[in-house]
Structures are given as C-alpha cells and as structure tokens.
Amino acid sequence: MQIYLPIAELPVDILLLLGLSVAVGFISGMFGVGGGFLMTPLLIFIGIPPAVAVATQSAQITATSTTAALFYWRRNALDLKMGGLLLCGGLAGTLLGVLFFNALRRVGQLETFITLSYVALLGATGALMLAESVRAMFMARSGRAKPARRGGRHFWYEGLPFKMRFPRSGLYVSIIPLLALSLFIGFAGAVLGIGGGFILVPALIYIFRVPTALVAGTSQFQILFSMIAATMLHAVTNQSVDLVLASLLIIGGVIGAQFGARAGIGLRAETFRFLLALLVLAVALRIGEDLVAVPREPFSATPTETAR
Amino acid sequence: MSRRAGLAAAALAMAACGGASAEELVMSLGTDRIAIRSNFTGAALSVVGIVERDAATVPRAAGYDAVVTVLGPRGAVSVWQKRLIGPLWLNLDQRKYIAIPAFISVMSNRPLDAIVQEGLRVKQRIGVEALLPEQSQSRGADAPEFRAALQRLRRAEGLFVSNEAAVRFITPSVLQARIEIPGRAPLGVYTVDLALFADGALLARKEQNFSVTKAGLEQAFTIAAAEMSLLYGILTSLTALMFGWLASAVFRRD
C-alpha cells in the first residue's frame, strides 16, 4: 500500500515505513535511545531526500522523548535543574545547527557532511562504549568489583569556574563543560537528525558522574525540548518537515518502543551497553563502507536547490 | 513557431514533392491536469493524434511514423563525480547543467533509427540524447562522461524513458499512445510534442501542455508548510507531543 508524501514529493510503501519504524522503535525502547541515528540513514537509504529525512526525524524524536520523559517524570527520576541548564546549551546548539544545515544545503554538500559526521560520531562513541562494556563484563566475570572512585582525584574540568550546585544529583560542578556538551548535542541533533541520547547518556554518567538513576530522565528532558525547537526551526527555515511521514514514523516508533522497553528489562547493564555499542558500531561501519568502498556508480545527479 | 514551420517546409522539400499541401496534425490529450492525492503512485494519460489530409496531399506509400516526446519542467542539475581522496570516496567533481527536463519520455511507433536519420535528430530535437544540452554551465570543461552519467542515472530512476513501440497507429492516419507518469515525477508543467514523419522527413508537429499538481490534502500540507510555516511547525510539534503522551497513557506500566 502506497502513500504519497506531500513534502518529500514521492510515494512510499506504508507497510515498509511502519515496519522500519516499529523495528527502530523496538531498539530505541530497549536501549532508551531515541533511535534517530538508525532511522535517519534508513530514510535516506529508501530514497527520502536527506533534508526531509533529518527535518522530519526531529518530530519523531519529539514523540519518543515525550513518552520517555513522562515515564521518568512520574518516577521523579529526573534532575530538572540540570535538565534546564542542558536545555539552554541545547537550544543554542539547535539554532546554530539549523543555520549550518541550511548553509550546507545551499552549497550542495549536505549529504557528504551527514555521512562523514555519522561515521565519526557513531564510530567514536561505539568504540568507546564497546571498550568500556567489555572491560566491565570482564570484571563482572572475574568477580572483581569496579574500582571505586578515589575521593581526592579530580579532572581538569572540575576546576573550572562558574560552579553550580545540583541538589537532586548531589553535584557541585562548573556549568562550562555542561553547556559545551549540550551545545554540541543540540548542534549535532539539528544537523544529523538525531536526539543525541547515545552521546549525552554516557557523557553524563562517565564525565559528570550524574547518578545513573537520574541520567536517562534528565537526558530525555533535554532531548524533548531541543527536538521541539529543531522541529519548529526546520519547519520555519527550510520547510522540509513532512507531517505525513512524521505521523507514520511516530505511530510505528511508539508501538515498537513499548515492546522494546519490555524486552530490555531483563538485560544486565554490561550486556546492555555491549549490545548498544555493537549496534552503534555496526551502523557506523555500514555507512562508512560507502565512503571507502569503490563506488559502483561514481556519479550522482541532484537537482540544484531552488525555492519551491 | 517560425523555426518549426521552416523545418516542416524543409521536410516537405526533402519529400521531393514540392507544391502539394502538407499534412495537418490534430492532437488531443486525455487530460490537462494530473492531480496528486495521497494515493498517487503515478498516472497515465492518453494522447491521440489525427493526420488530416486533403485531396492535394501527397500519397505516402510507406505510411506515417510518429514520435511523442513528453518533457517535464526544466531545472538546474548538478552531476557529481566521486573521487578517491586518501581512503575516502568523496563528491568532488561537479558539472552543473541548467534547464534539464526533470522528466523525458520519448515514444515512437518503431525504432528511431528507422524513422529519422541520426544526424537530423539534434536539430529536430528527437530522442533523449538530443534533448540534453551540449554544454555544462560550470567551471571545468564539459566532459561527456557527466552527460552520459546524467542520462544513465535518470533512466535508472525511470525519469528518462524511451519506448520504441509505444505509439500505435489505429488506422493509417490515427495514432494513439499512453503517457506513463511515474510516482516520483516532479511537479510542474509538462509538454507533449507530437512529430509526424514519413520517409525520414518531418511533416508536421504539434505541442500541448498538461500539469502535474498536488490536490486535496497533499496540496493543503504543501501550502501550509510553505506559507504558514510557523503554524505548520506548531501543528507538527503538537502532533508529536500528543502521540507521545497518548503512548505514555495507553501503555502506562505503573
């Protein structure tokens, strides 16, 4: 069954789209990530113009993170003060990202940039996560406890000024690295059509030592509002948000996420991170392959962007 | 118009029967507007051509040939070539072509080679090859491989089509063809050009337009996205929030 997408201007198979979004929703529900890093490349792969894929994906992530944020809100498992601060950086990053996105679109290098950034971002994150989870799994097996954090040890970024107290997380840290991180994630989110949860969550845990129980909720809170902003900015500045496509992705994603969340409950934390790392790396390798393999068709033809 | 009249006159002269009056063409398109609704996956419209002759028209022993050319809206196209930079294949070489039809369909009743000799086709604009510009508009010399690639890519997408058996003569002077517009075809004004040949000479030519436009909800979405983009953005965000909230309410686990 086909449906015509009004903004992407092409017909797509409804069942294919629903199937993809259920599958991605399942994975995102299982791992508590938005799934944008999977969905955006898939959409581009099935022929949706990259600009429409990225812009529309922000609407889908909004829906997913609404569900997730509400879930943590009810359990009081989010640090609102930290979420608010991350949001400030995130919004600024989103704005810069959308401006950069439109500039790249004008010079015709959007696709190359998206591909390269995906490989770099996913490759680096995936490799770090994999190394960490393998180490953790190894230690769990050998029965040794994780070395406790030594009280007196400080990293350079802990000495930065503008310290702020976050009572909910029990932290007293400088806001500079927090703002820098959220700025970067907001930027990447707007340019690449990803929520950034797969970067934000490990960063909050390992760099800022936010209590694990609060991390998921806090990051979903920040992603929710950044993605609303991204949806609005894409809609207003480049008119590439396809409401029909977004609705299909949201419906499939929401259903898939529910089953995924249930499937994820039984997983051990290390196994969980190990599987997520493998997934992220696999996506990076698949996209990277297109960059290094001898192309079957070295040519591509794109209509030069004109105002519709 | 005068150029075309000139061509027809030249064709007549080549037919080696000066003095006699030429054939007239009457063309009819099935519709002048193809509406894209949410169930649009492509469309077809029929074109009928009638050759009008009078008593003075030369008899054509070999019968007529017809070529129907459908051209989509024109626009600039960038053709990129990937080159190896270090370990990476990147889009580096570019040729920009202006005014490339977004859709080309060339239909005829028999192979073009049999209808008109190759040397005349560019001048008469017959065949996909002849409809693409000679020169690119960009830095760097035009390279034939870029033009060939453009054709190859568009053919693979089904946007450049040639079919040498799509035109059918119902009677010796009435012809019919079915124009297939694929689902990915771009929106805009399309031109249908009907050219009549006999013995390798162009006898008459007729042109008519139709448009491919969005209708109904599809049109409403597009207008909303373009002209009320703030409202459209708010609507999209609210839709997303509502779905997210609904999911949380329906699947509530606590």
Side-chain angles (χ1 to χ4, degrees):
Chain A
M1 202 165 55
Q2 304 257 315
I3 188 166
Y4 192 87
L5 303 177
I7 305 298
E9 296 189 336
L10 51 97
V12 288
D13 194 324
I14 295 184
L15 293 179
L16 172 72
L17 267 190
L18 282 179
L20 282 181
S21 53
V22 167
V24 173
F26 183 88
I27 293 167
S28 74
M30 191 158 155
F31 295 114
V33 292
F37 72 95
L38 288 169
M39 202 65 213
T40 307
L42 279 174
L43 290 178
I44 295 173
F45 182 72
I46 64 169
I48 311 281
V52 178
V54 168
T56 305
Q57 194 51 37
S58 52
Q60 201 244 316
I61 302 170
T62 303
T64 324
S65 50
T66 305
T67 315
L70 283 171
F71 176 84
Y72 294 111
W73 172 264
R74 267 189 230 112
R75 282 163 182 70
N76 194 21
L78 62 91
D79 185 335
L80 266 186
K81 190 175 177 188
M82 178 167 290
L85 184 78
L86 289 173
L87 189 55
C88 294
L91 288 180
T94 304
L95 180 65
L96 289 176
V98 172
L99 293 177
F100 184 66
F101 179 91
N102 291 336
L104 277 178
R105 228 185 128 176
R106 274 193 296 277
V107 297
Q109 292 291 7
L110 183 62
E111 215 159 336
T112 313
F113 183 82
I114 289 180
T115 312
L116 277 175
S117 325
Y118 260 102
V119 173
L121 207 56
L122 295 176
T125 318
L128 282 174
M129 271 164 58
L130 189 70
E132 188 278 330
S133 63
V134 167
R135 210 178 309 130
M137 268 161 56
F138 182 74
M139 279 179 196
R141 191 159 306 163
S142 62
R144 266 184 296 156
K146 202 176 165 190
R149 185 188 163 203
R150 265 160 290 168
R153 218 171 124 203
H154 288 288
F155 291 103
W156 61 269
Y157 54 81
E158 289 172 6
L160 289 171
F162 303 112
K163 287 199 168 202
M164 196 184 259
R165 216 170 280 282
F166 296 96
R168 188 76 184 79
S169 302
L171 289 175
Y172 181 58
V173 291
S174 163
I175 60 170
I176 293 172
L178 275 175
L179 283 177
L181 173 71
S182 55
L183 189 81
F184 172 71
I185 286 170
F187 182 84
V191 180
L192 302 179
I194 56 177
F198 72 100
I199 311 169
L200 190 52
V201 169
L204 288 181
I205 295 177
Y206 298 119
I207 303 178
F208 298 101
R209 304 204 182 86
V210 175
T212 318
L214 298 176
V215 164
T218 307
S219 100
Q220 288 292 357
F221 173 83
Q222 117 90 10
I223 290 168
L224 169 60
F225 287 98
S226 303
M227 282 297 127
I228 293 177
T231 308
M232 295 296 300
L233 285 168
H234 277 301
V236 172
T237 61
N238 56 44
Q239 282 107 43
S240 295
V241 181
D242 197 308
L243 188 48
V244 175
L245 178 61
S247 305
L248 283 172
L249 294 179
I250 290 169
I251 293 169
V254 152
I255 296 169
Q258 295 304 325
F259 292 104
R262 254 154 250 202
I265 288 172
L267 282 179
R268 288 171 54 93
E270 298 89 28
T271 323
F272 174 93
R273 290 203 299 270
F274 177 70
L275 289 177
L276 182 57
L278 282 188
L279 179 73
V280 171
L281 268 184
V283 176
L285 286 177
R286 176 62 194 85
I287 302 172
E289 193 199 325
D290 289 343
L291 282 174
V292 291
V294 179
R296 247 173 297 152
E297 172 61 87
F299 289 94
S300 60
T302 48
T304 308
E305 298 285 351
T306 43
R308 272 189 187 133
Chain B
M1 218 46 213
S2 64
R3 193 179 62 125
R4 213 162 274 147
L7 272 177
L12 250 188
M14 273 189 284
C17 285
S21 67
E23 281 84 349
E24 289 272 320
L25 260 181
V26 177
M27 170 160 67
S28 159
L29 278 185
T31 177
D32 61 357
R33 178 168 180 255
I34 290 178
I36 294 185
R37 293 173 201 283
S38 59
N39 60 356
F40 181 80
T41 57
L45 71 161
S46 69
V47 51
V48 174
I50 298 165
V51 186
E52 294 213 311
R53 318 165 37 98
D54 55 33
T57 311
V58 206
R60 310 275 175 198
Y64 294 114
D65 288 315
V67 180
V68 175
T69 308
V70 185
L71 290 184
R74 288 166 189 274
V77 174
S78 293
V79 180
W80 293 91
Q81 184 181 20
K82 282 189 176 153
R83 285 202 189 282
L84 197 59
I85 292 288
L88 303 178
W89 287 90
L90 299 176
N91 277 339
L92 281 178
D93 255 4
Q94 183 201 19
R95 295 290 184 280
K96 196 169 172 184
Y97 295 92
I98 51 162
I100 295 283
F103 177 77
I104 301 179
S105 170
V106 179
M107 298 180 284
S108 52
N109 60 320
R110 56 189 183 127
L112 287 182
D113 289 332
I115 294 177
V116 54
Q117 70 184 91
E118 214 177 335
L120 291 173
R121 275 189 228 153
V122 171
K123 202 175 161 200
Q124 296 178 345
R125 305 181 61 68
I126 294 291
V128 174
E129 206 85 43
L131 293 162
L132 297 176
E134 284 289 305
Q135 278 296 310
S136 71
Q137 302 277 312
S138 74
R139 54 216 141 93
D142 187 30
E145 65 263 29
F146 280 86
R147 213 158 344 111
L150 175 62
Q151 225 190 98
R152 187 172 65 239
L153 291 162
R154 289 290 180 260
R155 278 188 191 273
E157 287 170 293
L159 293 174
F160 285 5
V161 197
S162 43
N163 187 336
E164 300 186 320
V167 176
R168 203 161 56 89
F169 276 91
I170 306 168
T171 75
S173 61
V174 177
L175 62 100
Q176 188 249 328
R178 218 172 110 90
I179 301 170
E180 306 259 4
I181 302 294
R184 305 189 71 120
L187 296 106
V189 177
Y190 285 63
T191 314
V192 183
D193 165 77
L194 171 59
L196 186 74
F197 292 86
D199 289 329
L202 182 63
L203 302 178
R205 216 162 187 170
K206 201 88 189 179
E207 204 177 273
Q208 210 168 320
N209 292 340
F210 69 91
S211 62
V212 177
T213 51
K214 289 181 212 172
L217 260 185
E218 303 296 301
Q219 191 181 24
F221 278 132
T222 311
I223 293 175
E227 282 159 32
M228 295 175 279
S229 52
L230 184 65
L231 203 66
Y232 181 86
I234 294 174
L235 180 70
T236 312
S237 302
L238 283 180
T239 309
L241 285 171
M242 192 198 69
F243 272 121
W245 173 78
L246 256 181
S248 135
V250 170
F251 295 101
R252 200 162 171 166
R253 269 170 283 157
D254 43 14

